[in-house]
C-alpha cells in the first residue's frame, strides 16, 4: 500500500536544493530524485529520466537543453531566482514545458548589494577596513581621500524591478539617474539613453541590472569601459556574461576605469579569483539575494508553483 502510494507520487528531479523546511515539504509531497547529491548523474538520468515530470533548480544552475531532451515527460521547471538565461525557455515552450521563476521577492536585497558595492568601491570601505587591521592608520596616518556619491551620475543598464529599486535608493543620495534598455520604460521620469555608449560617457557609475543571455552578451566591452572613463565605476549585479571580463580586467589593471563592484562573474565560482590581485575592485560571491528571509521566500515560491501545477491551478510566476 505504502509503496503503491510512493510510486503514485509525482517524480521530481532536484538539480539544486531548496531551503530545509521547503525541502522537507517537497520530500513529503513528491518522490524526489536528488541529482544534486548523486555521484553518477548519467546513470540516474538513464534510469529515471522517463519518470520525471518536474524539475527543481535555480537560475544559476539552470537546466541544460541536453537534459531537457532526456526528460520526455517533463511538464514543469520550477526555478529559484529571477534570471533564466541558464534554461532553454524557447525549447521548453516548444515542448509544452512550463517554466517558473521567483521575481520581486529578491529585488530589495539585490538592490541593497548594488548600493553596498557602489559605496564600498567609491568610498574605499574594504581599503579602510584593511587600513586599520594592518596598522596603516597608526603608522601612516589617514587613508587616501575617496570620491563623493552626492552630485554624481548613475547610469542603469536595464531599468526593471531591480534597476528601479537601485534608482530609488540613490535618488535621495543626491545622484542623477539615467538608463539604457531596449526601449524607454513607461513608468519612470529618468532620462532614457538609446545608446549605451552615450550612457557610459554620461555616467560616473554604471550599474548593470539587465538579464544575461545572448542579447546582452558582452554588452559591456572595451569601448563602453573607455567611455565610462578613469573616474568611472562599474557595478554588476546582473550576470557575468553581460561584461567582457578580460576587457574589464584590462581596464582595471590600467586604471582606465576607477574601479568595479562585482557580484557576478563569467564562470562561477572560479572566475572570482581572476580579480583577486586587483585593488580597485570589490568582490561579492553572487550572493545579492543571499539572505535567509529572501531565500526562504524564493524556496516557498518554488514549492507554491509546483503545488499550483500539480493541482491544475494557474502558476504564480510563469515565464512561458
Ligand atoms: P526585470 O524586471 O525583467 O528587469 C530587466 C530589465 O532589463 C528590464 O528593464 C528590461 O527592459 C531590460 N532589458 C531586457 N533585455 C535587455 C537588453 N537586451 N538590453 C538592455 N536591457 C534589457 O528583471 P529584474 O527582476 O530587475 O532582474 C534583472 C536581472 O538581474 C535578472 O535577469 C538577473 O540576471 C539579475 N539578477 C541577479 C541577482 C544576483 O544575485 N546578482 C539576483 C536577481 C536577479 P525591457 O524588457 O523593456 O527591454
Amino acid at each position: 500500500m505504502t509503496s503503491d502510494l510512493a510510486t503514485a507520487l509525482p517524480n521530481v528531479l532536484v538539480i539544486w536544493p531548496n531551503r530545509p523546511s521547503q525541502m522537507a515539504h517537497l520530500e513529503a509531497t513528491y518522490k524526489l530524485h536528488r541529482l544534486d547529491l548523486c555521484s553518477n548523474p548519467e546513470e540516474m538520468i538513464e534510469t529515471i529520466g522517463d519518470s520525471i515530470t518536474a524539475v527543481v533548480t535555480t537560475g544559476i544552475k539552470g537546466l541544460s537543453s541536453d537534459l531537457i531532451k532526456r526528460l520526455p515527460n517533463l511538464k514543469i521547471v520550477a526555478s529559484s531566482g529571477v534570471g533564466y538565461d541558464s534554461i532553454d525557455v524557447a525549447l521548453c515552450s516548444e515542448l509544452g514545458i512550463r517554466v517558473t521563476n521567483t521575481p520581486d521577492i529578491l529585488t530589495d536585497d539585490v538592490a541593497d548589494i548594488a548600493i553596498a558595492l557602489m559605496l564600498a568601491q567609491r568610498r574605499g570601505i574594504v581599503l579602510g577596513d584593511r587600513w586599520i587591521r594592518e596598522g596603516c592608520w597608526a603608522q601612516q596616518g589617514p587613508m587616501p581621500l575617496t570620491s563623493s556619491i552626492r552630485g554624481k551620475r548613475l547610469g542603469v543598464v536595464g531599468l526593471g524591478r531591480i534597476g528601479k529599486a537601485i534608482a530609488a535608493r540613490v535618488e535621495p543620495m543626491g545622484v542623477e539617474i539615467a538608463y539604457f534598455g531596449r526601449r524607454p520604460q513607461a513608468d519612470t521620469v529618468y532620462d532614457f539613453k538609446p545608446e549605451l555608449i552615450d550612457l557610459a560617457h554620461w555616467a560616473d557609475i554604471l550599474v548593470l541590472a539587465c538579464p544575461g543571455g545572448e542579447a546582452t552578451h558582452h554588452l559591456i566591452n572595451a569601448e563602453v569601459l573607455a567611455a565610462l572613463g578613469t573616474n568611472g565605476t562599474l557595478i554588476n549585479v546582473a550576470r557575468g556574461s553581460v561584461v567582457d571580463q578580460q576587457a574589464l580586467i584590462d581596464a582595471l589593471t590600467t586604471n582606465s576605469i576607477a574601479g568595479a563592484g562585482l557580484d557576478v562573474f563569467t564562470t562561477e565560482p572560479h572566475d572570482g579569483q581572476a580579480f583577486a590581485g586587483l585593488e580597485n575592485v570589490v568582490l561579492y560571491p553572487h550572493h545579492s539575494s543571499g539572505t535567509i528571509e529572501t531565500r526562504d521566500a524564493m524556496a516557498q515560491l518554488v514549492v507554491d508553483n509546483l503545488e499550483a501545477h500539480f493541482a491544475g491551478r494557474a502558476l504564480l510566476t510563469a515565464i512561458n
Side-chain angles (χ1 to χ4, degrees), residues 58-62 79-87 101-102 106 110 157 162 207-214 216-220 234-245 248 262-268 286-289 298:
T58 65
I60 297 174
K61 276 280 172 186
S79 179
S80 181
V82 179
Y84 46 85
D85 45 297
S86 54
I87 302 169
N101 65 346
T102 62
L106 45 62
V110 178
V157 178
I162 293 170
V207 181
L208 312 183
C210 59
E214 271 176 38
T216 57
H217 183 77
H218 286 193
L219 205 58
I220 306 301
L234 181 78
I235 304 298
N236 190 4
V237 292
R239 282 289 182 265
S241 62
V242 180
V243 177
D244 177 341
Q245 190 162 276
L248 177 59
L262 307 174
D263 179 45
V264 286
F265 305 87
T266 303
T267 307
E268 297 171 355
H286 201 154
H287 208 53
S288 286
S289 68
M298 290 162 71

Side-chain angles (χ1 to χ4, degrees), residues 19 38 82 88 196 256 273 279:
R19 296 277 298 148
C38 173
V82 179
D88 190 343
L196 175 58
S256 53
Q273 286 294 116
E279 291 291 332

Side-chain angles (χ1 to χ4, degrees), residues 184-256:
Q185 301 293 318
D187 52 347
T188 179
V189 295
Y190 306 131
D191 195 15
F192 174 65
K193 305 268 188 200
E195 299 297 334
L196 175 58
I197 199 80
D198 294 338
L199 184 73
H201 272 298
W202 174 87
D204 300 293
I205 302 154
L206 201 58
V207 181
L208 312 183
C210 59
E214 271 176 38
T216 57
H217 183 77
H218 286 193
L219 205 58
I220 306 301
N221 56 22
E223 194 191 357
V224 172
L225 292 167
L228 184 58
T230 50
N231 293 319
T233 299
L234 181 78
I235 304 298
N236 190 4
V237 292
R239 282 289 182 265
S241 62
V242 180
V243 177
D244 177 341
Q245 190 162 276
Q246 191 52 55
L248 177 59
I249 290 171
D250 292 345
L252 290 165
T253 306
T254 57
N255 293 311
S256 53

